[in-house]
Amino acid sequence: MRANNSGVSNPVNLVVIVPVYNEAENLRALTTHIIKAFSELEGICWKCLFVDDGSQDDSWEVIEALASEDSRFQGMTLSRNFGKEIALTAGVENAQDADAVICIDADLQHPPELIPDFIREWKKGYEVVIGVRGDVEDYTLIKKIGSAVFYRIINRFCDINLTTRGTDFRLLDKKVVYTLRQFSERSRMFRGLIDWMGFRTKTIEFNAPARLNHAKPSYSYRKLFHLAVNSITSFSLLPLKLTGYLGVLVTTLSGLLLLVMLTTQIIEWQVYTVQAYFVVFITFLVGIMLSAMGLTALYIGHIHTEVVGRPLYIVRETTRK
């Protein structure tokens, strides 16, 4: 509960955001779990916003039916499938007057039963509460290995400390939501942007069950790979720098080899053909070209950093009332 200027307590306004893509068979079960989770809480005025991301099944019809049966459930549908990152963004931007939002998947791999725990941690002063995935019943070995490699790479080489095994199942305080609305980049990793902000964070670990009804995952291996590449290029200039590093390495090695060849030729330890000198010299020129491309890439990287338009700094709070 929050107290207004007259000392009267006001209920906390909370919005649950659910991105939906071909989840028609799961939505009613999800709503049952959400209602049960909030029944344990007092002083919470909540609603649930479904964001239909261009579903090809009857998801939107189910959302309309749920909204007509219970005014706490609302929906919005996008014109086509823009992807989960954009669907989450659309939900956050349309969660008006919320003191906090909770993002959760529709397949019940994010247990709604943890919502009370999220809210309790938020009331302790944490501005971001993240659900961290433990065991997952239907995760393949390839996904487990790929996930471990991804987090290791992005935390090692990128300008971000991404929560390991973190999910999109998270609570965001209104300050985080306000800041997130200032980001204008189109190619985005939703959870990456939140972790980049640096607000006070609490993690809650959970074990994810198999997808409800064993529906087909909305993220294929191709989409997961695209998300990984997009995440790395959004938060690091390393891919651009690698060309320059390679150029310096090639130039150095070929230059040393050319020097050794000339030295041994002069003191008559070894005689090399014209073709050998030609190959080494061409390799040396390739190294110079790669180095020049790497230098150009650094300028492109600075342009990229400016174009994405992230805020220069984020103010958590002030002493002004």
Side-chain angles (χ1 to χ4, degrees):
M1 304 285 284
R2 297 175 301 158
N4 58 25
N5 294 333
S6 63
V8 179
S9 296
N10 294 327
V12 172
N13 293 313
L14 193 145
V15 177
V16 179
I17 297 172
V18 185
V20 176
Y21 182 66
N22 296 340
E23 299 282 2
E25 297 181 3
N26 302 331
L27 294 179
R28 287 195 175 276
L30 175 66
T31 58
T32 300
H33 283 268
I34 291 176
I35 292 173
K36 182 179 179 181
F38 279 105
S39 67
E40 304 175 11
L41 302 169
E42 296 182 356
I44 301 291
C45 181
W46 66 273
K47 65 180 180 179
C48 179
L49 175 61
F50 294 105
V51 182
D52 180 21
D53 187 26
S55 296
Q56 302 300 311
D57 63 357
D58 297 328
S59 293
W60 180 242
E61 286 73 13
V62 175
I63 292 171
E64 287 182 313
L66 289 170
S68 64
E69 296 166 9
D70 190 332
S71 61
R72 293 175 297 185
F73 294 99
Q74 302 175 3
M76 59 181 293
T77 182
L78 306 184
S79 61
R80 63 173 176 83
N81 178 235
F82 287 90
K84 184 180 179 182
E85 310 302 311
I86 302 301
L88 286 169
T89 301
V92 167
E93 291 183 349
N94 285 272
Q96 302 297 330
D97 301 321
D99 296 304
V101 302
I102 294 179
C103 302
I104 188 170
D105 285 356
D107 55 13
L108 287 181
Q109 283 198 308
H110 297 165
E113 290 76 17
L114 289 180
I115 288 177
D117 296 332
F118 277 43
I119 295 175
R120 277 191 286 270
E121 297 298 336
W122 171 56
K123 288 184 176 180
K124 292 178 182 178
Y126 293 104
E127 293 141 332
V128 179
V129 184
I130 303 174
V132 175
R133 185 185 292 110
D135 294 329
V136 185
E137 288 187 13
D138 58 355
Y139 246 34
T140 63
L141 181 61
I142 294 177
K143 278 191 175 182
K144 290 180 179 179
I145 294 175
S147 177
V149 171
F150 167 73
Y151 283 110
R152 188 171 183 83
I153 291 176
I154 200 167
N155 286 333
R156 174 65 179 83
F157 297 108
C158 296
D159 183 26
I160 182 178
N161 185 21
L162 197 64
T163 303
T164 302
R165 295 181 287 109
T167 66
D168 291 320
F169 184 26
R170 52 185 65 197
L171 180 148
L172 310 177
D173 182 81
K174 62 181 179 182
K175 288 182 285 189
V176 183
V177 171
Y178 173 79
T179 303
L180 187 61
R181 289 171 179 165
Q182 298 180 47
F183 289 83
S184 59
E185 56 210 83
R186 293 179 174 271
S187 297
R188 58 176 56 197
M189 183 188 185
F190 187 80
R191 73 187 78 162
L193 294 178
I194 295 170
D195 288 349
W196 178 86
M197 293 179 195
F199 284 102
R200 286 188 289 264
T201 300
K202 176 70 174 181
T203 60
I204 296 179
E205 185 168 336
F206 67 94
N207 294 324
R211 279 178 55 85
L212 192 63
N213 294 335
H214 302 284
K216 183 180 178 181
S218 58
Y219 267 110
S220 62
Y221 286 112
R222 181 181 62 82
K223 287 184 177 181
L224 287 172
F225 178 76
H226 176 74
L227 177 62
V229 172
N230 182 56
S231 302
I232 293 172
T233 55
S234 294
F235 293 98
S236 175
L237 299 180
L238 180 64
L240 289 175
K241 294 178 180 178
L242 285 177
T243 302
Y245 295 153
L246 179 61
V248 172
L249 179 63
V250 172
T251 302
T252 302
L253 293 179
S254 59
L256 289 175
L257 180 57
L258 185 60
L259 181 62
V260 169
M261 291 172 65
L262 289 172
T263 302
T264 55
Q265 179 90 21
I266 292 172
I267 62 179
E268 298 182 353
W269 284 359
Q270 180 70 41
V271 178
Y272 299 95
T273 64
V274 175
Q275 290 84 352
Y277 281 108
F278 183 76
V279 170
V280 175
F281 182 67
I282 292 298
T283 305
F284 180 76
L285 292 179
V286 169
I288 293 177
M289 292 177 61
L290 288 174
S291 300
M293 290 175 62
L295 184 61
T296 304
L298 289 179
Y299 286 98
I300 295 175
H302 289 305
I303 294 172
H304 166 77
T305 302
E306 294 297 326
V307 168
V308 295
R310 292 176 190 160
L312 292 177
Y313 59 89
I314 299 170
V315 178
R316 176 181 284 118
E317 56 188 332
T318 68
T319 57
R320 297 192 299 271
K321 301 296 183 183

